[in-house]
Amino acid sequence: MLGRDMTNLLGARGEDFTPVTRADLDITDLAAVTELVGAVNPDVVVNCAAWTAVDAAEDHEEAASAVNYQGAANVAAACAKAGALLIHPSTDYVFDGHASTPYAEDAPTAPAGAYGRTKLAGEQAVRGALPDASYIVRTAWLYGAHGKNFVKTMLRLAGNGTSPGVVADQHGQPTWTADVAAQIMALIDRSAPPGIYHATSAGQTTWFGFAEEIFRLYHSSVPEEQIQDQEQKGDSERVLVSPRPITTADYPTPAKRPAYSVLAHDAWHAAGITPIGDWKEALTRAFPALLTK
Ligand SMILES: NC(=O)c1ccc[n+]([C@@H]2O[C@H](COP(=O)([O-])OP(=O)(O)OC[C@H]3O[C@@H](n4cnc5c(N)ncnc54)[C@H](OP(=O)(O)O)[C@@H]3O)[C@@H](O)[C@H]2O)c1
């Protein structure tokens, strides 16, 4: 999801870049990573590869770790050898979610589950190998035009006329992958100081609040005639359904979700870079691309 938006942005800017899919390179293979990075000899590597199946990681921590820790370490080692900068996306799941004010970039980490542990180990490997030439870009609640995500699921349900129960007691910052890609470019453009950056939207909401906004935008995007047609067919519920609030306890998952996943954005300000704007405004900008995919 992020990799596709990153390559779209690089393409739109006319940058010289080498997109690499999983079929081209398995990042758990150190020799292959070293060979490819050595051959391309890039100035910058953006490692969008990760094990992102949060629930599956609980039962397959070793496999998740092979990608999120060992794979990250491999990419970092290859960058160190080639003299490349490394940009390494990470996650809000490195925090335990017990806070009530936004997590600073240097707030103590304490992952509550396997995915967060493997991503934190990846962060540490990257920073250990490239203390002066790496950026950890933590993001959260991602959605985008490419790949499965919450917005697409909600759009499918809105289109089906289904009224989903959505968790209303977890707080976070819905974030568009295209905005994360733009922040990554800004780090490179501005030669920002290496370190940890939080690439999430401003503001905060719950999954339920996020779903409500998606349904609202969906309803306002459906042409008036289509609503009238459906109403004439006695079908008005199909268009006008809304999500229902539920609790985390109502929706048990194998991996524990942080109750509070709001990240602070001070490092951007310190680097003279504007952080991502408000989550609702970002969703509105992203919406046409999400509807057409
Ligand atoms: N999605 C979120 O809500 C979220 C939240 C916080 C942080 N993040 C972080 O943001 C980054 C981007 O996430 P995303 O949602 O864009 O991920 P994504 O859509 O799941 O993409 C991950 C990519 O990594 C590839 N991959 C997996 N194992 C690999 C390996 N061994 N070698 C090479 N490629 C491999 C996957 O290939 P296959 O599809 O073939 O498996 C997939 O193309 C990740 O670092 C993630 O941890 C995501």
Side-chain angles (χ1 to χ4, degrees), residues 65-260:
S65 178
V67 184
N68 292 347
Y69 163 58
Q70 196 56 55
N74 292 346
V75 176
C79 287
K81 199 168 171 196
L85 279 178
L86 175 57
I87 301 194
H88 185 75
S90 190
T91 173
D92 55 316
Y93 280 50
V94 298
F95 298 119
D96 62 14
H98 294 147
S100 52
T101 55
Y103 284 99
E105 292 80 355
D106 61 355
T109 49
Y115 169 73
R117 280 192 293 274
T118 63
K119 290 294 293 183
L120 179 60
E123 286 189 5
Q124 290 164 343
V126 167
R127 297 193 75 203
L130 295 161
D132 301 320
S134 63
Y135 300 91
I136 303 299
V137 179
R138 293 187 188 131
T139 187
W141 292 33
L142 280 187
Y143 60 88
H146 309 286
K148 284 188 202 156
N149 57 71
F150 183 80
V151 176
K152 289 198 185 170
T153 303
M154 289 302 122
L155 286 175
R156 183 169 42 76
L157 296 172
N160 289 342
T162 306
S163 170
V166 184
V167 173
D169 55 2
Q170 292 170 22
H171 299 78
Q173 298 158 310
T175 301
W176 185 22
T177 41
D179 282 340
V180 178
Q183 294 304 115
I184 288 173
M185 283 312 304
L187 289 172
I188 302 168
D189 289 343
R190 302 292 287 266
S191 302
I196 301 175
Y197 291 81
H198 286 168
T200 51
S201 295
Q204 59 173 286
T205 186
T206 63
W207 288 109
F208 171 68
F210 187 17
E212 276 194 314
E213 187 62 9
I214 297 163
F215 273 65
R216 190 187 69 72
L217 288 170
Y218 174 77
H219 291 153
S220 61
S221 75
V222 176
E224 190 66 22
E225 318 82 73
Q226 196 176 322
I227 296 177
Q228 281 165 5
D229 271 6
Q230 291 186 346
E231 278 172 352
Q232 275 160 17
K233 288 185 206 145
D235 216 7
S236 57
E237 296 251 320
R238 270 174 63 88
V239 176
L240 299 175
V241 287
S242 303
R244 293 170 290 107
I246 61 171
T247 65
T248 300
D250 295 328
Y251 189 73
T253 52
K256 203 166 163 266
R257 262 65 181 172
Y260 183 84

Side-chain angles (χ1 to χ4, degrees), residues 1-3 22 25-28 48-52 67 89-92 115 119 139-142:
M1 187 159 62
L2 177 61
R22 186 179 191 156
L25 180 70
D26 178 351
I27 63 163
T28 66
C48 297
W51 174 299
T52 54
V67 184
S90 190
T91 173
D92 55 316
Y115 169 73
K119 290 294 293 183
T139 187
W141 292 33
L142 280 187

